[in-house]
Amino acid sequence: MTEMKKPWWKNAVVYQIYPKSFQDSNGDGIGDIKGIIGRLDYLEELGIDAVWLSPVYCSPQDDNGYDISDYQDIDPMFGNLSDMEELIREAKKHNIRIVMDLVLNHTSDEHRWFREAKKSKDNPYHDYYVWRDGVEGEYPNEMKAAFGGPAWEWVPEVNQYYFHQFSVKQPDLNWENPKVRREIYDMILWWMDKGVGGFRLDVIDQIAKEPDRMITNNGPRLHEFLQELSRETFQKGDLITVGEAWGATTEIAKLYSDPDGSEFSMVFQFEHMVMDQQEGKEKWDLAPLPFVRLKKCLAKWQNELYGKGWNSLFWDNHDLPRIVSRWGDDGKYRVESAKMLAVILHGMQGTPYVYQGEELGMTNVRFPDISDYKDIETLNLYRERLEGGYEKEDIMRSIYARSRDNARTPMQWSAGPSAGFTTGTPWIAVNPNYTEINAEEERKDPDSVYHFYRKLIRLRKTHPVFVDGKFNLLLPEDERIFAYTRTDGMHQMLVCANFTGEAAACPLDGKWKDAEMLIHNYGEDPAWSDDGERIMLKPYEAVMLCRKL
Ligand code: GLC
Ligand code: CA
């Protein structure tokens, strides 16, 4: 029997690019594809294997490209199709695959299909979307859209409401219609033909909605649709595919990422990222991080998916605040805590994602005024809460902690004008700390967050225990220390990290003092107790050790 080849993405590290904010090449203040091509050397030096590119398709940019008006063309703001082909080709030379972002739950209301669909009920495209009869002013039901307001919008031409889970400009596609599914498959095959390395599937758990039953995610036909999608497209190539699923449990995740490849390579779920919000409330309703619960949650995902599925490992993306500001310390211990968080994440099983600027320890931003913010979700929240009687200061506090714009300020390349992002005026202001935190400085400094990420990424390539090792959480009830082992037939790796700004002793079983140090975030060696059974961890200190079994 031939042994099954391990898929290439099992030891890959993915880098996420938010194109609007990565690198501008023509001075219009907006990042673009040519800008990315110019930074491929940087990405190769970092050591990543694939770039997940947030949407660059034609779009009115109501939700920064997650509202697509043409899946088979590039928005002029980012370049054109031949730039995209060049990016795929050039990236390949740097051993980097390009992963496209597929938004299949909805299109833009300016997509050709929707412009036809709303002309009349007999139009062949009408059924591409989700419509309900009704009377103007009386919504079919009380469902709300994710960015605020009702999930229904009236169209007088057809005397019907259409359904939108996100903004009014993002009408939901009707996956019940086989013609819609076929169009989507053909479009995906067309991109596969162009040599892309894979796809990230936006809010994919919401495609099988059933609004009459108030069902948004995990609809009854979801996995039937996904298996057909995978069969008709992804399985014809050697791709990495990752499904974004806010509503996944470990059981559902095993379906998404079954090793038999019937759906996707992996799931991108958020259970660990929503712990510091008030129970049953919105992400804007802040709560302290329940650290012990966080550890148990991550451990649960590690253990339950072991051998049965595959997870994405991430702290950051374009929808989340910066992790060093959120769960680290972006002041005195910025460098130490950014590295500590990276050690914890990269030591686990799954595929690590690095969101642009995370490798520099970029932080949240605090713009003085709401007019500095651009994100539709943030702006709607501000308006809604103001109308709802909240104090301005309270709303701004939530925005400083949680706005998606925290992740969307321009990439900090240098201490030069606009952080080297553009020669023009950036579409969103640069974080003023770019004079200290930027790629140029960090590349020169061997102790920087940047070089630490490089080293971590390389370790994954050279130590199979990162990929296959079985996870075991140590000290589950400890309020300050995050510690675990990973064990395969040959090696055992230990991660042991202080999650706080105070010293903390980490008890061990004594076999670790002479183990090989894989990576450590302080200049001097860690301090051991005299009996060799405890590491005396400094604030945010993290060590990763490895020994032969
Ligand atoms: C996903 C995207 C987010 C977008 C939403 C609607 O969650 O990551 O940026 O707003 O889907 O497409
Ligand atoms: Ca540009």
Side-chain angles (χ1 to χ4, degrees):
M1 248 181 65
T2 52
E3 204 182 309
M4 273 253 284
K5 212 176 123 244
K6 191 171 281 181
W8 65 268
W9 43 261
K10 283 225 164 162
N11 68 356
V13 176
V14 182
Y15 188 87
Q16 187 193 350
I17 289 185
Y18 196 67
K20 218 171 167 181
S21 303
F22 190 63
Q23 177 68 66
D24 178 23
S25 72
N26 62 355
D28 66 356
I30 300 171
D32 46 52
I33 294 172
K34 281 215 172 341
I36 300 172
I37 296 172
R39 292 297 185 183
L40 287 169
D41 287 338
Y42 172 85
L43 296 174
E44 183 176 357
E45 183 183 81
L46 185 58
I48 52 101
D49 305 87
V51 162
W52 151 21
L53 185 60
S54 280
V56 289
Y57 315 92
C58 290
S59 162
Q61 301 288 321
D62 186 53
D63 185 20
N64 282 356
Y66 285 91
D67 48 320
I68 297 172
S69 55
D70 186 346
Y71 290 100
Q72 287 169 279
D73 204 355
I74 301 298
D75 197 285
M77 113 185 353
F78 296 123
N80 57 37
L81 213 45
S82 77
D83 295 336
M84 191 61 218
E85 287 162 347
E86 187 184 335
L87 172 62
I88 295 168
R89 229 176 17 247
E90 289 304 310
K92 219 165 258 166
K93 293 185 194 157
H94 290 79
N95 291 316
I96 294 171
R97 310 187 200 217
I98 301 294
V99 175
M100 301 290 282
D101 206 320
L102 278 178
V103 187
L104 305 180
N105 176 66
H106 46 268
T107 68
S108 161
D109 65 337
E110 297 181 36
H111 193 290
R112 182 175 54 87
W113 299 341
F114 192 74
R115 282 196 268 119
E116 289 296 320
K118 67 175 188 192
K119 283 184 184 161
S120 80
K121 285 185 193 164
D122 316 319
N123 191 287
Y125 290 95
H126 188 70
D127 256 6
Y128 275 42
Y129 296 87
V130 180
W131 300 92
R132 291 295 177 268
D133 293 334
V135 186
E136 188 173 6
E138 276 176 45
Y139 299 112
N141 62 29
E142 65 270 30
M143 289 175 83
K144 295 274 174 261
F147 299 151
W152 300 100
E153 183 71 8
W154 179 251
V155 177
E157 291 89 331
V158 291
N159 264 311
Q160 283 182 315
Y161 285 93
Y162 69 83
F163 181 63
H164 62 92
Q165 300 190 62
F166 295 89
S167 91
V168 206
K169 288 185 66 60
Q170 293 168 299
D172 268 59
L173 279 167
N174 175 17
W175 273 72
E176 305 272 336
N177 182 346
K179 277 197 257 163
V180 169
R181 305 206 297 273
R182 192 66 249 166
E183 296 252 21
I184 287 174
Y185 306 155
D186 290 341
M187 174 274 287
I188 294 175
L189 291 168
W190 182 84
W191 277 110
M192 284 171 64
D193 234 30
K194 297 207 173 296
V196 300
F199 299 97
R200 176 261 185 186
L201 289 292
D202 188 65
V203 291
I204 200 67
D205 57 341
Q206 298 183 209
I207 59 169
K209 55 248 157 184
E210 291 196 6
D212 302 322
R213 298 164 63 192
M214 312 277 277
I215 293 176
T216 54
N217 59 18
N218 299 318
R221 294 188 68 186
L222 177 62
H223 296 279
E224 170 199 335
F225 292 153
L226 296 184
Q227 284 159 22
E228 181 185 276
L229 161 70
S230 173
R231 212 166 41 237
E232 295 291 332
T233 60
F234 311 144
Q235 289 173 33
K236 301 178 197 287
D238 178 24
L239 303 176
I240 184 175
T241 52
V242 46
E244 184 198 28
W246 285 81
T249 59
T250 51
E251 285 311 307
I252 299 173
K254 287 182 211 166
L255 295 174
Y256 285 125
S257 62
D258 192 311
D260 72 2
S262 53
E263 295 190 9
F264 305 134
S265 320
M266 67 191 80
V267 61
F268 199 96
Q269 58 76 30
F270 295 80
E271 190 179 334
H272 62 298
M273 294 314 295
V274 297
M275 304 223 124
D276 55 354
Q277 75 187 39
Q278 289 168 37
E279 196 91 25
K281 296 239 183 120
E282 295 182 298
K283 72 175 189 183
W284 312 100
D285 301 305
L286 314 178
L289 175 69
F291 177 59
V292 168
R293 268 184 57 210
L294 172 74
K295 290 196 291 186
K296 290 185 179 171
C297 169
L298 289 166
K300 176 184 78 181
W301 280 88
Q302 289 290 299
N303 293 326
E304 290 187 19
L305 260 51
Y306 183 71
K308 302 199 178 112
W310 198 257
N311 207 353
S312 305
L313 305 171
F314 67 94
W315 294 130
D316 275 349
N317 78 8
H318 65 293
D319 295 327
L320 301 171
R322 296 280 181 181
I323 196 63
V324 68
S325 301
R326 186 175 186 178
W327 294 343
D329 172 353
D330 63 7
K332 185 171 173 202
Y333 293 114
R334 184 185 66 85
V335 171
E336 290 81 1
S337 64
K339 292 175 179 175
M340 178 276 290
L341 288 158
V343 170
I344 289 176
L345 195 76
H346 284 244
M348 289 192 283
Q349 184 172 51
T351 298
Y353 285 71
V354 180
Y355 177 70
Q356 65 185 44
E358 178 188 336
E359 78 281 19
L360 306 175
M362 274 177 64
T363 69
N364 281 353
V365 72
R366 296 168 78 91
F367 290 133
D369 196 78
I370 189 66
S371 63
D372 300 313
Y373 287 84
K374 309 291 174 196
D375 171 33
I376 180 173
E377 185 193 49
T378 306
L379 299 174
N380 286 350
L381 171 274
Y382 185 83
R383 201 175 12 84
E384 272 188 9
R385 291 220 160 169
L386 214 51
E387 285 164 12
Y390 284 76
E391 293 295 327
K392 227 183 204 161
E393 294 70 50
D394 291 336
I395 309 176
M396 289 314 282
R397 194 172 320 119
S398 293
I399 289 176
Y400 290 155
R402 292 295 154 79
S403 169
R404 306 196 293 183
D405 280 341
N406 283 307
R408 299 177 181 186
T409 61
M411 176 73 177
Q412 292 167 202
W413 292 107
S414 73
S418 294
F421 164 69
T422 179
T423 54
T425 308
W427 70 276
I428 187 171
V430 176
N431 190 320
N433 64 18
Y434 73 94
T435 48
E436 293 136 56
I437 305 172
N438 63 71
E440 196 174 87
E441 292 298 321
E442 295 204 22
R443 285 186 64 215
K444 284 189 275 191
D445 172 5
D447 295 326
S448 63
V449 179
Y450 171 77
H451 284 292
F452 197 83
Y453 267 82
R454 282 186 68 208
K455 192 167 175 197
L456 263 179
I457 292 169
R458 256 181 296 142
L459 282 171
R460 178 166 287 267
K461 313 281 174 204
T462 48
H463 291 65
V465 68
F466 275 74
V467 180
D468 297 316
K470 176 107 185 64
F471 180 94
N472 182 34
L473 183 68
L474 306 177
L475 309 170
E477 305 299 332
D478 194 291
E479 296 280 352
R480 285 177 292 179
I481 288 168
F482 202 136
Y484 61 84
T485 53
R486 298 281 310 281
T487 314
D488 64 15
M490 310 260 287
H491 292 93
Q492 185 166 52
M493 173 179 55
L494 169 77
V495 164
C496 150
N498 180 354
F499 219 84
T500 74
E502 285 121 50
C506 179
L508 294 169
D509 60 10
K511 290 172 296 194
W512 287 100
K513 197 158 185 253
D514 303 314
E516 181 195 356
M517 177 71 75
L518 295 183
I519 197 164
H520 177 216
N521 66 345
Y522 269 78
E524 64 274 22
D525 287 343
W528 289 83
S529 61
D530 292 339
D531 58 11
E533 294 196 351
R534 269 173 309 154
I535 309 186
M536 318 303 279
L537 294 170
K538 299 184 189 68
Y540 299 105
E541 184 167 358
V543 299
M544 189 184 261
L545 297 163
C546 191
R547 65 180 184 196
K548 271 216 176 70
L549 293 178

